[in-house]
């Protein structure tokens, strides 16, 4: 399928369902809500389905509470996905990233569209806009909207959501993925009514007292260096998270502190959950953490930012991480 065919399809009202990955982040919610608002304006029925809850600091993008959370509302999610004529997969490359939502997508005979910037995308989609050099999926959504001839449907609210995606996925325009094109897209979003500092405030100046205490604890008590200072890690146990009243999103960005230490090439954040440990990997230069996450931690992502998980406890997870770091350095 190409843009011409897609335009034909969307010349008639469609039942659109937009899905995004587990543990939705700023890019996941920003891309989904941006695209959802554009399609809604064009007269399509639009639902957004996410596997599990998103952090509170992204809630302003869903002020009317339209996002369906599969984990807490599986029947509703099955119903909308069952009735979909077009299903979008945003900001993930593989149906395994969307838990039970993946089975529902697989069971549907809707047209399936992928818009994503992760490495190694699945090829089972009718239309794919996959660009691993793009700063964010939100930037690709802008390009998609433009190619579809819908650029005038980007109003201030859409611009704010897309900006939230680009800003969070580029670490506020500092990661190597921050291209001239990312800045050009943002410039256009500003022309459409976006006020950048207000979005930055909504996302980054909404800390709870307990979140800062948790970060303080992680940095002063849990951060350690390994492999002659080339690797940094922060493991947080379930007990510690509970002790500091952990809420989803509270540890977002924590892994970057490790990477900010001079000489560190890989930083890892380990977050213990019930019978599972979630990993966040970040690296500099040529160290390919996507490869490590994909081959040893059931995950994936990008060369310099990836994630994964092991069904084990924190102690065992640290042993496996140590082995992986030994292979690396
Ligand atoms: P984060 O560490 O912020 O959770 O994720 C970093 C990057 O890795 C993101 O692009 C995210 O989509 C990807 N990622 C995180 N966890 C997983 C995972 O379990 N599997 C895969 N394939 N990618 C992941
Ligand atoms: Mn992304």
């Amino acid at each position: 399928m190409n843009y011409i065919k897609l335009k034909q399809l969307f010349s008639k009202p469609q039942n659109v369902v937009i899905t995004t990955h587990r543990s939705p982040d700023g890019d996941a919610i920003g891309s989904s809500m941006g695209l959802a608002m554009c399609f809604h304006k064009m007269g399509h029925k639009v639902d957004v389905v996410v596997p599990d809850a998103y952090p509170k600091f992204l809630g302003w993008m869903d002020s009317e509470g339209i996002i369906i959370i599969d984990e807490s509302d599986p029947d509703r999610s099955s119903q909308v996905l069952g009735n979909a004529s077009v299903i979008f997969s945003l900001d993930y490359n593989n149906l395994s990233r969307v838990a039970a939502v993946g089975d529902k997508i697989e069971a549907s005979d809707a047209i399936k569209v992928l818009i994503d910037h992760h490495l190694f995308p699945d090829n089972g989609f009718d239309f794919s806009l996959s660009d691993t050099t793009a700063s964010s999926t939100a930037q690709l959504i802008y390009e998609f909207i433009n190619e579809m001839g819908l650029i005038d449907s980007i109003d201030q609210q859409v611009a704010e959501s897309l900006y939230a995606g680009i800003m969070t996925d580029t670490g506020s325009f500092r990661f190597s993925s921050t291209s001239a094109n990312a800045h050009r897209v943002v410039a256009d979003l500003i022309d459409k009514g976006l006020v950048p500092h207000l979005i930055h405030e909504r996302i980054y100046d909404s800390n709870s007292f307990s979140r800062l205490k948790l970060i303080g604890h992680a940095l002063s008590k849990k951060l350690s260096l390994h492999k002659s200072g080339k690797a940094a890690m922060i493991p947080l146990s379930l007990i510690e998270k509970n002790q500091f009243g952990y809420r989803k999103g509270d540890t977002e960005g924590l892994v970057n502190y490790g990477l900010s230490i001079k000489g560190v090439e890989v930083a890892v954040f380990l977050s213990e959950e019930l019978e599972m440990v979630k990993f966040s990997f970040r690296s500099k230069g040529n160290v390919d953490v996507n490869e490590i996450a994909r081959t040893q931690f059931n995950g994936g992502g990008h060369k310099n930012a990836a994630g994964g998980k092991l069904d084990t406890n924190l102690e065992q997870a640290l042993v496996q991480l140590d082995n992986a770091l030994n292979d690396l350095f």
Side-chain angles (χ1 to χ4, degrees), residues 283-298:
S283 67
K284 280 197 179 124
N286 271 334
V287 179
D288 186 348
V289 285
N290 172 62
E291 170 80 12
I292 298 169
R294 206 166 49 84
T295 56
Q296 299 183 58
F297 297 94
N298 309 306

Side-chain angles (χ1 to χ4, degrees), residues 18 148 218 246 252 272-273 281 303 305 309 325:
I18 295 170
M148 290 291 285
Y246 172 83
E252 192 86 39
E272 189 178 41
E273 295 180 13
F281 298 94
K303 186 177 167 198
K309 52 185 175 308
L325 292 176

Side-chain angles (χ1 to χ4, degrees), residues 21 93 97 118 278 280-282 298-302 305-309:
H21 61 78
N93 53 1
R97 291 278 285 135
H118 292 91
K278 177 98 182 62
S280 281
F281 298 94
R282 297 292 184 273
N298 309 306
H302 314 276
K309 52 185 175 308

Side-chain angles (χ1 to χ4, degrees), residues 27 91 117-118 136-137 169:
D27 193 28
D91 203 36
H117 65 138
H118 292 91
S136 53
T137 298
D169 255 30

Side-chain angles (χ1 to χ4, degrees), residues 1-10 127 147-148:
M1 208 170 207
N2 54 24
Y3 277 113
I4 296 170
K5 291 257 166 65
L6 266 188
K7 279 190 206 170
Q8 278 167 1
L9 180 72
F10 281 99
F127 178 93
E147 290 288 342
M148 290 291 285

Side-chain angles (χ1 to χ4, degrees), residues 73-241:
D73 206 351
D75 294 342
R76 183 93 206 289
S77 149
S78 300
Q79 187 207 338
V80 299
L81 281 161
N83 288 332
S85 59
V86 190
I87 298 176
F88 280 81
S89 293
L90 303 189
D91 203 36
Y92 66 92
N93 53 1
N94 191 301
L95 292 185
S96 69
R97 291 278 285 135
V98 285
V101 174
D103 299 333
K104 297 176 188 182
I105 296 175
E106 213 142 26
S108 160
D109 49 20
I111 305 275
K112 290 163 194 168
V113 178
L114 174 81
I115 304 180
D116 179 47
H117 65 138
H118 292 91
L119 295 162
F120 310 121
D122 250 14
N123 47 22
F125 293 88
D126 298 295
F127 178 93
S128 280
L129 173 54
S130 164
D131 179 354
T132 60
T133 68
S135 70
S136 53
T137 298
Q139 184 188 326
L140 294 175
I141 295 291
Y142 175 94
E143 286 172 22
F144 178 79
I145 291 171
N146 193 19
E147 290 288 342
M148 290 291 285
L150 303 174
I151 200 76
D152 290 337
S153 68
I154 300 185
D155 57 14
Q156 183 184 340
Q157 227 186 338
V158 173
E160 287 178 349
S161 287
L162 297 184
Y163 182 73
I166 300 171
M167 181 190 76
T168 53
D169 255 30
T170 57
S172 301
F173 306 94
R174 74 184 194 278
F175 298 157
S176 57
S177 58
T178 312
S179 59
N181 208 29
H183 283 291
R184 270 185 212 109
V185 168
V186 168
D188 195 36
L189 296 178
I190 292 172
D191 285 342
K192 291 180 182 300
L194 157 76
V195 182
H197 77 271
L198 294 180
I199 305 307
H200 196 277
E201 276 170 32
R202 275 183 212 165
I203 291 185
Y204 293 113
D205 296 343
S206 63
N207 281 322
S208 62
F209 185 68
S210 60
R211 180 189 183 197
L212 281 201
K213 290 289 187 188
L214 174 67
I215 291 171
H217 169 78
L219 294 181
S220 74
K221 301 277 196 284
K222 306 306 301 278
L223 173 66
S224 59
L225 285 175
H226 305 264
K227 312 299 160 201
S228 315
K230 287 187 180 157
M233 61 173 87
I234 302 176
L236 273 187
S237 68
L238 202 49
I239 293 174
E240 286 165 309
K241 284 159 68 179

Side-chain angles (χ1 to χ4, degrees), residues 15-81:
N15 274 346
V16 179
V17 178
I18 295 170
T19 66
T20 191
H21 61 78
R22 211 182 150 74
S23 302
D25 57 10
D27 193 28
I29 298 296
S31 311
S32 299
M33 290 308 293
L35 186 61
M37 288 186 278
C38 285
F39 277 146
H40 184 70
K41 269 189 161 180
M42 304 317 293
H44 304 289
K45 181 180 178 302
V46 191
D47 285 290
V48 177
V49 173
V50 300
D52 58 350
Y54 56 81
K56 245 193 179 150
F57 58 79
L58 301 176
W60 57 272
M61 283 189 264
D62 182 27
S63 55
E64 290 175 27
I66 67 146
I67 295 181
I68 300 166
I69 298 168
D70 182 74
E71 213 171 65
S72 44
D73 206 351
D75 294 342
R76 183 93 206 289
S77 149
S78 300
Q79 187 207 338
V80 299
L81 281 161

